[in-house]
Amino acid sequence: MAASVSLFGYWASPFTLRIKWALKLKGIQYEYIEEDLPNKSPLLLQYNPVHKKIPVLVHEGKPLAESLVIMEYIDEVWKESPLLPQDPYGRAKARFWSNFADDKCVPSVMRTFVAEGEDKEKAAEEAREHLKTLESGLEGKQLFGGEKINFVDVAVGWIGIWARIVEKIADVNLIDAKTMPLLDAWFAKFLELPTIKECVPPWDKLLEHNRGFRNILTYAAT
Amino acid sequence: MSKGGDVVLLDFWASPFCMRVQIALSEKGVSYEARQEDLFGGKSELLLKSNPIYQKVPVFLHNGKPLCESTVIVGYIDETWTSPPLLPPCPYGRAQARFWADYIDKKLFDAVRDVVLSKGEATEAAKKELIEILKVLEGGLGERDFFGGKAFGFADIIAIPSTCWFLAAGKLGNFQVEAEFPKISGWIKRCMHKESVAKIIPDPEKIYEFVLMMRKMQGIDQ
């Protein structure tokens, strides 16, 4: 029987990881299709002609793209273990923080990743500022969702993994436990949750992949 | 009708992001106070306090509780004052509306701004980028009346304000947006028939004058 839910993704992609987490938290069975990014499948390009990117979720033959849009869709269709709160203000805040992470934290961590020398320190400082701002979104709680994980935890949690990878490869400090104790504790708590941990690729594979990715990016820049 | 409660918008007349919020409020028949911010002379205390992260307009205050980022605000308005709905009833239709709103939000105004606040080769490059984006939107609209389908909605609200900057982009980029994109032109006319849009969107000639003033201020023109 054909699966009614399919996910086109890439094993090392954080945006794919978000969707895997959302599907797992909701207990949704799905078929996973690994894309070879240098040779994207015709099916992927047909399903996402605008961005031509993963992840793409296909539900009952209908494709969806953009990971945060997909997450809202999943939350609306499968109502168990809701990711977004019920109240409009809480929902607005959740959307605000998820977008903030994508608009500010992600690009600044990426810039730190590829920069060298003085530029690297400047980029790391900017990234730390944005991460410190992200910490304020926790409002002193252990998780963005309070006692249980919510939309923001799922949307943003991967930054904890990637920041540690960037720190190791680029030899910088990003999530500073001294200046961001709450954020540091949050990432640790989130990534230890069994449902979350199960979906994360092996650390050494991610490290190796990102080292190679960095070489490509820094070579391309010269 | 307003659910009651105090609604304040920190606004700037030429900002398409502020226009989105006003159109949404107008669609819902919500009374509000729009306070003009002096973006060049000095932003108000309330703005800086309510939006410390971005320090930008629009800022929306409902009973004193602030929200920023226009797409988040429009979503909040839709979920707080539920009639008429800005999103279609089915999850897939909602996801499609969010997908287009996301694309438009990330790409359209930045491209327009890059055309109008540049010169020479930079304008040519920006114009090429804008044309590519408009091609995608033209394709995305297809044979539908609105981005939301039969009814004016969320994605249309996110998109329509940037179109009052098209005259300026056309004059400074030396191309005719409306002539080259008939579907988008038709869509603009349909949106402008809506009372909520017609009364909020300023005269494109006034936007053009504003752009010329900004170009002088930024030293692009003498």
Side-chain angles (χ1 to χ4, degrees):
Chain A
M1 187 164 64
S4 80
V5 181
S6 316
L7 174 64
F8 290 73
Y10 180 64
W11 72 273
S13 155
F15 304 101
T16 302
L17 186 56
R18 280 174 171 168
I19 307 305
K20 284 184 177 173
W21 279 336
L23 291 167
K24 193 157 181 86
L25 286 163
K26 301 263 189 182
I28 299 164
Q29 300 293 318
Y30 64 100
E31 180 198 1
Y32 177 71
I33 297 118
E34 176 74 11
E35 280 286 324
D36 175 19
L37 293 187
N39 297 297
K40 290 171 181 173
S41 70
L43 203 51
L44 175 67
L45 300 178
Q46 179 196 319
Y47 282 148
N48 189 3
V50 172
H51 297 293
K52 304 179 176 41
K53 288 182 180 178
I54 48 90
V56 164
L57 188 83
V58 183
H59 181 213
E60 291 167 350
K62 294 191 285 203
L64 289 155
E66 290 305 288
S67 54
L68 294 181
V69 172
I70 296 172
M71 276 174 63
E72 289 225 30
Y73 175 82
I74 290 171
D75 205 35
E76 283 185 8
V77 173
W78 291 275
K79 298 200 189 299
E80 45 285 285
S81 307
L83 295 173
L84 280 171
Q86 287 299 311
D87 69 295
Y89 194 69
R91 292 163 77 85
K93 285 208 300 192
R95 288 169 180 140
F96 174 83
W97 284 113
S98 307
N99 284 316
F100 174 80
D102 276 3
D103 288 344
K104 295 288 184 187
C105 300
V106 173
S108 58
V109 170
M110 270 304 288
R111 277 193 290 274
T112 313
F113 189 46
V114 300
E116 306 271 0
E118 246 180 59
D119 290 341
K120 188 173 72 173
E121 234 347 278
K122 261 195 222 129
E125 205 180 297
E126 193 197 334
R128 281 193 295 271
E129 257 176 54
H130 293 314
L131 289 165
K132 184 79 189 145
T133 303
L134 182 65
E135 185 185 60
S136 71
L138 274 167
E139 294 173 351
K141 303 189 299 254
Q142 288 205 314
L143 297 166
F144 278 95
E147 296 297 308
K148 287 191 318 181
I149 56 181
N150 79 354
F151 193 92
V152 184
D153 298 294
V154 175
V156 174
W158 68 270
I159 296 178
I161 305 168
W162 261 261
R164 293 293 180 223
I165 287 178
V166 171
E167 284 174 343
K168 187 139 179 93
I169 296 175
D171 191 26
V172 281
N173 175 236
L174 287 175
I175 302 169
D176 187 333
K178 269 198 237 113
T179 57
M180 304 168 208
L182 282 177
L183 195 74
D184 187 56
W186 166 59
F187 279 135
K189 186 180 172 82
F190 176 74
L191 295 170
E192 274 308 304
L193 296 166
T195 316
I196 298 301
K197 209 168 169 179
E198 275 168 42
C199 298
V200 179
W203 171 262
D204 45 5
K205 261 189 92 182
L206 277 176
L207 207 54
E208 189 196 329
H209 167 78
N210 278 282
R211 279 195 214 276
F213 186 44
R214 184 170 192 258
N215 288 338
I216 295 171
L217 290 173
T218 46
Y219 178 72
T222 53
Chain B
M1 275 298 136
S2 176
K3 238 184 206 165
D6 178 47
V7 179
V8 173
L9 173 67
L10 303 184
D11 182 49
F12 185 68
W13 73 276
S15 155
F17 306 101
C18 295
M19 291 173 213
R20 289 170 177 175
V21 177
Q22 294 218 43
I23 293 169
L25 289 167
S26 184
E27 280 288 298
K28 301 283 187 173
V30 174
S31 319
Y32 62 98
E33 180 198 349
R35 295 185 198 166
Q36 284 300 305
E37 284 285 330
D38 180 3
L39 299 184
F40 304 104
K43 293 171 180 175
S44 71
E45 277 300 307
L46 184 60
L47 172 60
L48 300 175
K49 191 180 78 165
S50 308
N51 188 2
I53 294 172
Y54 292 110
Q55 303 193 350
K56 286 182 176 178
V57 287
V59 171
F60 181 79
L61 295 127
H62 184 203
N63 295 327
K65 290 195 324 194
L67 279 172
C68 42
E69 294 302 283
S70 56
T71 309
V72 170
I73 296 168
V74 173
Y76 173 82
I77 290 169
D78 193 35
E79 289 175 355
T80 302
W81 295 275
T82 51
S83 177
L86 299 177
L87 285 167
C90 71
Y92 191 71
R94 297 158 79 84
Q96 287 195 300
R98 290 192 177 112
F99 173 86
W100 285 110
D102 175 72
Y103 180 85
I104 290 156
D105 194 37
K106 287 195 168 91
K107 303 253 184 189
L108 183 59
F109 185 69
D110 281 2
V112 169
R113 188 208 50 214
D114 288 348
V115 169
V116 304
L117 293 180
S118 64
K119 62 180 176 187
E121 266 178 41
T123 306
E124 274 312 299
K127 175 177 144 186
K128 280 200 177 83
E129 173 72 15
L130 178 57
I131 286 173
E132 282 312 306
I133 292 164
L134 290 170
K135 278 188 191 149
V136 170
L137 291 179
E138 181 94 345
L141 198 55
E143 299 310 315
R144 295 175 301 166
D145 283 347
F146 298 102
F147 280 100
K150 290 201 166 73
F152 177 81
F154 190 82
D156 306 288
I157 292 175
I158 299 305
I160 193 66
S162 295
T163 66
C164 67
W165 285 63
F166 282 178
L167 178 78
K171 284 192 182 187
L172 293 160
N174 194 27
F175 71 110
Q176 289 246 352
V177 175
E178 301 201 3
E180 294 185 32
F181 297 98
K183 290 190 173 133
I184 291 180
S185 297
W187 165 75
I188 292 172
K189 287 193 180 74
R190 280 189 290 278
C191 290
M192 293 303 292
H193 273 133
K194 305 256 336 155
E195 193 190 328
S196 59
V197 176
K199 74 178 186 188
I200 303 295
I201 303 283
D203 182 355
E205 288 288 354
K206 289 211 155 63
I207 296 288
Y208 180 54
E209 275 167 37
F210 173 74
V211 164
L212 292 179
M213 180 209 76
M214 287 212 50
R215 287 174 67 92
K216 276 213 182 76
M217 258 177 65
Q218 292 186 11
I220 301 168
D221 295 332
Q222 252 64 62

